[in-house]
Amino acid sequence: MITLNNVSFSYADNEQCACEQTLSSLSFQIESGEFLCIAGPSGCGKTTLLRLLAGLHMPTEGKILVDGSPVCGPREDMAIVFQDYALFPWMNAHKNVQFCIRQTHPGISASDAAAMADRYLEQVGMADAGNKHPYQMSGGMRQRVAIARALAMDRKILLLDEPFGALDARNRTDLQNLLETLWCAENNPAKRRTIVFVTHDIQEAVRLADRIILMEPGGIAESIPVPLKRPRTLEDGPAGEQFRQIRRSLTDRLMELDRPAGRACRCGGPA
Ligand SMILES: Nc1ncnc2c1ncn2[C@@H]1O[C@H](COP(=O)(O)OP(=O)(O)OP(=O)(O)O)[C@@H](O)[C@H]1O
Ligand SMILES: [Mg+2]
């Protein structure tokens, strides 16, 4: 459904050297209804890739296609949760969620939009904080409102950039469960939302993904399927052991990518 054909990208101020491309010749596909996680060392280009998928940056070479049509700008079938949670600072939590509901459900009555906002805020554990403005919230609270807003938009493709990074363990687990439950609610896998989820946390990636793309600076190091049954378990027994095996091998691979040698400039110049 989403196809990247030989996609490269450079930020304008990095163009003096070809090897300074932030992303170089990426080609892969994301199936409709797939839950894809993207992991990799800091600065390898995960957010840049997500912004390209969202049509917020254009590839300097190559093409991104959604259902066969090129991505030329932000699309109506995508919602994105940014790493820095981008809420409207002049609106309280409830109004932030309502605003997106009105944009995506034209003609909805004020009372229905308010009830829907209540429901999504409750799902992310923010039922009692609807009247707080972003400056009155912790980082984790802001992130939960950003997630409620993206869920309420009910788009076919959901792009999430480290959405649970600022949360404590309890909220993180609750929201992982919520996201998986909402995604699995559609029984036909091909009709599910397509989710592209960036995370630093390998355990989170193995917990959530159908497939994990491990990035290295400039591109893709590996694409690893996660053939574990859902819901996934960390407990004893064969399923838990398989979970831990996948987590261990991914963590080892990520540690290799983190080594400074992996960051050497590809043109042979100084790292
Ligand atoms: N607006 C920009 N202008 C120039 N360079 C940028 C810009 N945004 C990001 N970069 C550079 O592009 C590279 C990839 O950045 P990106 O934010 O995509 O990494 P990331 O993998 O998401 O990192 P993190 O895990 O820390 O969020 C980095 O070297 C970064 O400095
Ligand atoms: Mg990032």
PDB file of all heavy atoms in Angstrom, residues 41 200 202-203 206 214-215 221-222 224 243-259:
ATOM      1  N   PRO A  41      19.485   3.923  15.915  1.00  0.00           N
ATOM      2  CA  PRO A  41      20.185   4.879  16.767  1.00  0.00           C
ATOM      3  C   PRO A  41      19.727   6.318  16.537  1.00  0.00           C
ATOM      4  O   PRO A  41      19.241   6.650  15.456  1.00  0.00           O
ATOM      5  CB  PRO A  41      21.658   4.713  16.367  1.00  0.00           C
ATOM      6  CG  PRO A  41      21.694   3.803  15.197  1.00  0.00           C
ATOM      7  CD  PRO A  41      20.365   3.170  15.029  1.00  0.00           C
ATOM      8  N   HIS A 200      12.509   4.019  20.224  1.00  0.00           N
ATOM      9  CA  HIS A 200      13.872   3.658  20.614  1.00  0.00           C
ATOM     10  C   HIS A 200      13.890   2.355  21.397  1.00  0.00           C
ATOM     11  O   HIS A 200      14.937   1.788  21.662  1.00  0.00           O
ATOM     12  CB  HIS A 200      14.439   4.725  21.576  1.00  0.00           C
ATOM     13  CG  HIS A 200      15.109   5.835  20.885  1.00  0.00           C
ATOM     14  ND1 HIS A 200      14.745   7.137  21.067  1.00  0.00           N
ATOM     15  CD2 HIS A 200      16.122   5.845  20.003  1.00  0.00           C
ATOM     16  CE1 HIS A 200      15.520   7.901  20.322  1.00  0.00           C
ATOM     17  NE2 HIS A 200      16.355   7.147  19.666  1.00  0.00           N
ATOM     18  N   ILE A 202      13.329  -1.316  22.095  1.00  0.00           N
ATOM     19  CA  ILE A 202      13.231  -2.584  21.360  1.00  0.00           C
ATOM     20  C   ILE A 202      12.110  -3.460  21.931  1.00  0.00           C
ATOM     21  O   ILE A 202      11.370  -4.097  21.191  1.00  0.00           O
ATOM     22  CB  ILE A 202      14.589  -3.339  21.417  1.00  0.00           C
ATOM     23  CG1 ILE A 202      15.639  -2.559  20.607  1.00  0.00           C
ATOM     24  CG2 ILE A 202      14.464  -4.756  20.894  1.00  0.00           C
ATOM     25  CD1 ILE A 202      15.377  -2.492  19.126  1.00  0.00           C
ATOM     26  N   GLN A 203      11.970  -3.438  23.253  1.00  0.00           N
ATOM     27  CA  GLN A 203      10.896  -4.244  23.849  1.00  0.00           C
ATOM     28  C   GLN A 203       9.529  -3.787  23.331  1.00  0.00           C
ATOM     29  O   GLN A 203       8.662  -4.595  23.022  1.00  0.00           O
ATOM     30  CB  GLN A 203      10.950  -4.129  25.373  1.00  0.00           C
ATOM     31  CG  GLN A 203       9.761  -4.788  26.029  1.00  0.00           C
ATOM     32  CD  GLN A 203      10.141  -5.453  27.325  1.00  0.00           C
ATOM     33  OE1 GLN A 203      11.175  -6.116  27.416  1.00  0.00           O
ATOM     34  NE2 GLN A 203       9.314  -5.270  28.325  1.00  0.00           N
ATOM     35  N   VAL A 206       9.045  -5.043  19.758  1.00  0.00           N
ATOM     36  CA  VAL A 206       8.702  -6.474  19.676  1.00  0.00           C
ATOM     37  C   VAL A 206       7.286  -6.710  20.217  1.00  0.00           C
ATOM     38  O   VAL A 206       6.558  -7.570  19.732  1.00  0.00           O
ATOM     39  CB  VAL A 206       9.732  -7.340  20.442  1.00  0.00           C
ATOM     40  CG1 VAL A 206       9.400  -8.829  20.313  1.00  0.00           C
ATOM     41  CG2 VAL A 206      11.143  -7.090  19.928  1.00  0.00           C
ATOM     42  N   LEU A 214      14.966  -1.925  11.177  1.00  0.00           N
ATOM     43  CA  LEU A 214      16.066  -1.391  11.973  1.00  0.00           C
ATOM     44  C   LEU A 214      16.878  -0.479  11.065  1.00  0.00           C
ATOM     45  O   LEU A 214      17.391  -0.936  10.035  1.00  0.00           O
ATOM     46  CB  LEU A 214      16.905  -2.572  12.469  1.00  0.00           C
ATOM     47  CG  LEU A 214      17.769  -2.360  13.695  1.00  0.00           C
ATOM     48  CD1 LEU A 214      16.963  -1.819  14.862  1.00  0.00           C
ATOM     49  CD2 LEU A 214      18.427  -3.690  14.091  1.00  0.00           C
ATOM     50  N   MET A 215      16.956   0.792  11.434  1.00  0.00           N
ATOM     51  CA  MET A 215      17.682   1.744  10.584  1.00  0.00           C
ATOM     52  C   MET A 215      19.100   1.953  11.087  1.00  0.00           C
ATOM     53  O   MET A 215      19.384   1.817  12.281  1.00  0.00           O
ATOM     54  CB  MET A 215      16.954   3.089  10.541  1.00  0.00           C
ATOM     55  CG  MET A 215      15.658   3.037   9.751  1.00  0.00           C
ATOM     56  SD  MET A 215      14.853   4.636   9.638  1.00  0.00           S
ATOM     57  CE  MET A 215      15.992   5.536   8.592  1.00  0.00           C
ATOM     58  N   ALA A 221      19.118  -1.109   7.934  1.00  0.00           N
ATOM     59  CA  ALA A 221      20.077  -2.171   8.223  1.00  0.00           C
ATOM     60  C   ALA A 221      19.408  -3.527   8.043  1.00  0.00           C
ATOM     61  O   ALA A 221      20.005  -4.454   7.491  1.00  0.00           O
ATOM     62  CB  ALA A 221      20.614  -2.029   9.637  1.00  0.00           C
ATOM     63  N   GLU A 222      18.163  -3.633   8.518  1.00  0.00           N
ATOM     64  CA  GLU A 222      17.473  -4.929   8.464  1.00  0.00           C
ATOM     65  C   GLU A 222      15.973  -4.749   8.567  1.00  0.00           C
ATOM     66  O   GLU A 222      15.502  -3.782   9.177  1.00  0.00           O
ATOM     67  CB  GLU A 222      17.912  -5.790   9.652  1.00  0.00           C
ATOM     68  CG  GLU A 222      18.940  -6.827   9.293  1.00  0.00           C
ATOM     69  CD  GLU A 222      19.365  -7.630  10.504  1.00  0.00           C
ATOM     70  OE1 GLU A 222      18.612  -8.535  10.866  1.00  0.00           O
ATOM     71  OE2 GLU A 222      20.432  -7.336  11.067  1.00  0.00           O
ATOM     72  N   ILE A 224      12.904  -7.023  10.010  1.00  0.00           N
ATOM     73  CA  ILE A 224      12.749  -8.267  10.789  1.00  0.00           C
ATOM     74  C   ILE A 224      11.268  -8.526  11.082  1.00  0.00           C
ATOM     75  O   ILE A 224      10.619  -7.738  11.783  1.00  0.00           O
ATOM     76  CB  ILE A 224      13.507  -8.137  12.139  1.00  0.00           C
ATOM     77  CG1 ILE A 224      14.976  -7.858  11.857  1.00  0.00           C
ATOM     78  CG2 ILE A 224      13.353  -9.378  13.006  1.00  0.00           C
ATOM     79  CD1 ILE A 224      15.451  -6.585  12.459  1.00  0.00           C
ATOM     80  N   PHE A 243       9.721 -14.331  22.486  1.00  0.00           N
ATOM     81  CA  PHE A 243       9.718 -12.865  22.607  1.00  0.00           C
ATOM     82  C   PHE A 243      11.105 -12.381  23.022  1.00  0.00           C
ATOM     83  O   PHE A 243      11.686 -11.480  22.421  1.00  0.00           O
ATOM     84  CB  PHE A 243       8.666 -12.473  23.664  1.00  0.00           C
ATOM     85  CG  PHE A 243       8.448 -10.988  23.806  1.00  0.00           C
ATOM     86  CD1 PHE A 243       7.273 -10.404  23.340  1.00  0.00           C
ATOM     87  CD2 PHE A 243       9.391 -10.173  24.406  1.00  0.00           C
ATOM     88  CE1 PHE A 243       7.063  -9.041  23.469  1.00  0.00           C
ATOM     89  CE2 PHE A 243       9.189  -8.813  24.540  1.00  0.00           C
ATOM     90  CZ  PHE A 243       8.011  -8.253  24.070  1.00  0.00           C
ATOM     91  N   ARG A 244      11.647 -13.019  24.066  1.00  0.00           N
ATOM     92  CA  ARG A 244      12.947 -12.567  24.601  1.00  0.00           C
ATOM     93  C   ARG A 244      14.076 -12.802  23.603  1.00  0.00           C
ATOM     94  O   ARG A 244      14.985 -11.990  23.493  1.00  0.00           O
ATOM     95  CB  ARG A 244      13.236 -13.263  25.938  1.00  0.00           C
ATOM     96  CG  ARG A 244      12.432 -12.647  27.085  1.00  0.00           C
ATOM     97  CD  ARG A 244      12.849 -13.211  28.422  1.00  0.00           C
ATOM     98  NE  ARG A 244      12.426 -14.598  28.573  1.00  0.00           N
ATOM     99  CZ  ARG A 244      11.207 -14.966  28.949  1.00  0.00           C
ATOM    100  NH1 ARG A 244      10.297 -14.063  29.241  1.00  0.00           N
ATOM    101  NH2 ARG A 244      10.894 -16.239  29.059  1.00  0.00           N
ATOM    102  N   GLN A 245      13.967 -13.908  22.850  1.00  0.00           N
ATOM    103  CA  GLN A 245      15.007 -14.190  21.838  1.00  0.00           C
ATOM    104  C   GLN A 245      15.046 -13.088  20.782  1.00  0.00           C
ATOM    105  O   GLN A 245      16.108 -12.580  20.431  1.00  0.00           O
ATOM    106  CB  GLN A 245      14.698 -15.505  21.130  1.00  0.00           C
ATOM    107  CG  GLN A 245      15.467 -16.683  21.686  1.00  0.00           C
ATOM    108  CD  GLN A 245      15.025 -17.976  21.015  1.00  0.00           C
ATOM    109  OE1 GLN A 245      14.447 -17.962  19.939  1.00  0.00           O
ATOM    110  NE2 GLN A 245      15.269 -19.087  21.689  1.00  0.00           N
ATOM    111  N   ILE A 246      13.870 -12.727  20.277  1.00  0.00           N
ATOM    112  CA  ILE A 246      13.811 -11.678  19.238  1.00  0.00           C
ATOM    113  C   ILE A 246      14.339 -10.369  19.820  1.00  0.00           C
ATOM    114  O   ILE A 246      15.125  -9.655  19.198  1.00  0.00           O
ATOM    115  CB  ILE A 246      12.364 -11.505  18.707  1.00  0.00           C
ATOM    116  CG1 ILE A 246      11.917 -12.787  18.025  1.00  0.00           C
ATOM    117  CG2 ILE A 246      12.277 -10.326  17.746  1.00  0.00           C
ATOM    118  CD1 ILE A 246      10.488 -12.777  17.523  1.00  0.00           C
ATOM    119  N   ARG A 247      13.952 -10.069  21.063  1.00  0.00           N
ATOM    120  CA  ARG A 247      14.398  -8.818  21.697  1.00  0.00           C
ATOM    121  C   ARG A 247      15.917  -8.800  21.846  1.00  0.00           C
ATOM    122  O   ARG A 247      16.568  -7.809  21.562  1.00  0.00           O
ATOM    123  CB  ARG A 247      13.724  -8.666  23.067  1.00  0.00           C
ATOM    124  CG  ARG A 247      13.928  -7.300  23.678  1.00  0.00           C
ATOM    125  CD  ARG A 247      13.385  -7.265  25.064  1.00  0.00           C
ATOM    126  NE  ARG A 247      14.038  -8.256  25.915  1.00  0.00           N
ATOM    127  CZ  ARG A 247      13.560  -8.675  27.068  1.00  0.00           C
ATOM    128  NH1 ARG A 247      12.417  -8.213  27.526  1.00  0.00           N
ATOM    129  NH2 ARG A 247      14.222  -9.560  27.788  1.00  0.00           N
ATOM    130  N   ARG A 248      16.470  -9.967  22.282  1.00  0.00           N
ATOM    131  CA  ARG A 248      17.926 -10.040  22.486  1.00  0.00           C
ATOM    132  C   ARG A 248      18.676  -9.827  21.175  1.00  0.00           C
ATOM    133  O   ARG A 248      19.622  -9.056  21.101  1.00  0.00           O
ATOM    134  CB  ARG A 248      18.308 -11.415  23.052  1.00  0.00           C
ATOM    135  CG  ARG A 248      18.441 -11.418  24.576  1.00  0.00           C
ATOM    136  CD  ARG A 248      19.188 -12.659  25.062  1.00  0.00           C
ATOM    137  NE  ARG A 248      18.620 -13.922  24.617  1.00  0.00           N
ATOM    138  CZ  ARG A 248      17.650 -14.591  25.255  1.00  0.00           C
ATOM    139  NH1 ARG A 248      17.141 -14.110  26.380  1.00  0.00           N
ATOM    140  NH2 ARG A 248      17.197 -15.739  24.797  1.00  0.00           N
ATOM    141  N   SER A 249      18.231 -10.522  20.109  1.00  0.00           N
ATOM    142  CA  SER A 249      19.000 -10.419  18.860  1.00  0.00           C
ATOM    143  C   SER A 249      18.882  -9.008  18.282  1.00  0.00           C
ATOM    144  O   SER A 249      19.852  -8.482  17.731  1.00  0.00           O
ATOM    145  CB  SER A 249      18.599 -11.503  17.861  1.00  0.00           C
ATOM    146  OG  SER A 249      17.332 -11.237  17.367  1.00  0.00           O
ATOM    147  N   LEU A 250      17.720  -8.375  18.447  1.00  0.00           N
ATOM    148  CA  LEU A 250      17.580  -6.993  17.960  1.00  0.00           C
ATOM    149  C   LEU A 250      18.441  -6.026  18.773  1.00  0.00           C
ATOM    150  O   LEU A 250      19.056  -5.108  18.222  1.00  0.00           O
ATOM    151  CB  LEU A 250      16.122  -6.552  18.084  1.00  0.00           C
ATOM    152  CG  LEU A 250      15.260  -6.841  16.869  1.00  0.00           C
ATOM    153  CD1 LEU A 250      13.794  -6.786  17.233  1.00  0.00           C
ATOM    154  CD2 LEU A 250      15.549  -5.814  15.782  1.00  0.00           C
ATOM    155  N   THR A 251      18.475  -6.258  20.094  1.00  0.00           N
ATOM    156  CA  THR A 251      19.278  -5.369  20.946  1.00  0.00           C
ATOM    157  C   THR A 251      20.753  -5.494  20.581  1.00  0.00           C
ATOM    158  O   THR A 251      21.459  -4.488  20.458  1.00  0.00           O
ATOM    159  CB  THR A 251      19.070  -5.728  22.435  1.00  0.00           C
ATOM    160  OG1 THR A 251      17.674  -5.713  22.697  1.00  0.00           O
ATOM    161  CG2 THR A 251      19.759  -4.749  23.364  1.00  0.00           C
ATOM    162  N   ASP A 252      21.219  -6.735  20.350  1.00  0.00           N
ATOM    163  CA  ASP A 252      22.628  -6.934  19.950  1.00  0.00           C
ATOM    164  C   ASP A 252      22.919  -6.206  18.647  1.00  0.00           C
ATOM    165  O   ASP A 252      23.939  -5.541  18.494  1.00  0.00           O
ATOM    166  CB  ASP A 252      22.938  -8.438  19.766  1.00  0.00           C
ATOM    167  CG  ASP A 252      22.917  -9.176  21.100  1.00  0.00           C
ATOM    168  OD1 ASP A 252      22.894  -8.492  22.141  1.00  0.00           O
ATOM    169  OD2 ASP A 252      22.901 -10.430  21.094  1.00  0.00           O
ATOM    170  N   ARG A 253      21.999  -6.334  17.707  1.00  0.00           N
ATOM    171  CA  ARG A 253      22.191  -5.699  16.391  1.00  0.00           C
ATOM    172  C   ARG A 253      22.225  -4.168  16.544  1.00  0.00           C
ATOM    173  O   ARG A 253      23.047  -3.486  15.935  1.00  0.00           O
ATOM    174  CB  ARG A 253      21.034  -6.141  15.495  1.00  0.00           C
ATOM    175  CG  ARG A 253      21.155  -5.776  14.060  1.00  0.00           C
ATOM    176  CD  ARG A 253      22.194  -6.643  13.347  1.00  0.00           C
ATOM    177  NE  ARG A 253      22.298  -6.258  11.953  1.00  0.00           N
ATOM    178  CZ  ARG A 253      23.169  -5.385  11.465  1.00  0.00           C
ATOM    179  NH1 ARG A 253      24.038  -4.816  12.251  1.00  0.00           N
ATOM    180  NH2 ARG A 253      23.175  -5.060  10.189  1.00  0.00           N
ATOM    181  N   LEU A 254      21.346  -3.663  17.400  1.00  0.00           N
ATOM    182  CA  LEU A 254      21.295  -2.206  17.608  1.00  0.00           C
ATOM    183  C   LEU A 254      22.588  -1.704  18.246  1.00  0.00           C
ATOM    184  O   LEU A 254      23.098  -0.637  17.895  1.00  0.00           O
ATOM    185  CB  LEU A 254      20.093  -1.863  18.502  1.00  0.00           C
ATOM    186  CG  LEU A 254      19.752  -0.390  18.642  1.00  0.00           C
ATOM    187  CD1 LEU A 254      19.328   0.206  17.303  1.00  0.00           C
ATOM    188  CD2 LEU A 254      18.626  -0.190  19.640  1.00  0.00           C
ATOM    189  N   MET A 255      23.150  -2.501  19.171  1.00  0.00           N
ATOM    190  CA  MET A 255      24.409  -2.106  19.811  1.00  0.00           C
ATOM    191  C   MET A 255      25.532  -2.036  18.775  1.00  0.00           C
ATOM    192  O   MET A 255      26.365  -1.145  18.809  1.00  0.00           O
ATOM    193  CB  MET A 255      24.801  -3.093  20.926  1.00  0.00           C
ATOM    194  CG  MET A 255      23.851  -3.122  22.094  1.00  0.00           C
ATOM    195  SD  MET A 255      23.537  -1.518  22.795  1.00  0.00           S
ATOM    196  CE  MET A 255      25.013  -1.328  23.783  1.00  0.00           C
ATOM    197  N   GLU A 256      25.539  -2.978  17.833  1.00  0.00           N
ATOM    198  CA  GLU A 256      26.552  -2.929  16.764  1.00  0.00           C
ATOM    199  C   GLU A 256      26.410  -1.635  15.965  1.00  0.00           C
ATOM    200  O   GLU A 256      27.390  -0.975  15.641  1.00  0.00           O
ATOM    201  CB  GLU A 256      26.357  -4.098  15.780  1.00  0.00           C
ATOM    202  CG  GLU A 256      26.845  -5.444  16.274  1.00  0.00           C
ATOM    203  CD  GLU A 256      26.360  -6.561  15.342  1.00  0.00           C
ATOM    204  OE1 GLU A 256      26.058  -6.280  14.167  1.00  0.00           O
ATOM    205  OE2 GLU A 256      26.261  -7.693  15.831  1.00  0.00           O
ATOM    206  N   LEU A 257      25.163  -1.284  15.642  1.00  0.00           N
ATOM    207  CA  LEU A 257      24.930  -0.078  14.828  1.00  0.00           C
ATOM    208  C   LEU A 257      25.359   1.165  15.575  1.00  0.00           C
ATOM    209  O   LEU A 257      25.748   2.157  14.984  1.00  0.00           O
ATOM    210  CB  LEU A 257      23.447   0.054  14.475  1.00  0.00           C
ATOM    211  CG  LEU A 257      22.858  -1.039  13.598  1.00  0.00           C
ATOM    212  CD1 LEU A 257      21.376  -0.808  13.388  1.00  0.00           C
ATOM    213  CD2 LEU A 257      23.560  -1.085  12.250  1.00  0.00           C
ATOM    214  N   ASP A 258      25.284   1.130  16.907  1.00  0.00           N
ATOM    215  CA  ASP A 258      25.618   2.297  17.710  1.00  0.00           C
ATOM    216  C   ASP A 258      27.112   2.565  17.786  1.00  0.00           C
ATOM    217  O   ASP A 258      27.536   3.610  18.221  1.00  0.00           O
ATOM    218  CB  ASP A 258      25.074   2.123  19.135  1.00  0.00           C
ATOM    219  CG  ASP A 258      23.782   2.905  19.308  1.00  0.00           C
ATOM    220  OD1 ASP A 258      23.611   3.923  18.615  1.00  0.00           O
ATOM    221  OD2 ASP A 258      22.986   2.476  20.130  1.00  0.00           O
ATOM    222  N   ARG A 259      27.949   1.569  17.381  1.00  0.00           N
ATOM    223  CA  ARG A 259      29.396   1.762  17.485  1.00  0.00           C
ATOM    224  C   ARG A 259      29.846   2.900  16.594  1.00  0.00           C
ATOM    225  O   ARG A 259      29.354   3.049  15.468  1.00  0.00           O
ATOM    226  CB  ARG A 259      30.120   0.476  17.093  1.00  0.00           C
ATOM    227  CG  ARG A 259      30.007  -0.524  18.216  1.00  0.00           C
ATOM    228  CD  ARG A 259      30.884  -1.737  17.968  1.00  0.00           C
ATOM    229  NE  ARG A 259      30.544  -2.712  18.966  1.00  0.00           N
ATOM    230  CZ  ARG A 259      30.375  -4.003  18.740  1.00  0.00           C
ATOM    231  NH1 ARG A 259      30.551  -4.475  17.529  1.00  0.00           N
ATOM    232  NH2 ARG A 259      30.066  -4.808  19.696  1.00  0.00           N
TER     233      ARG A 259
END
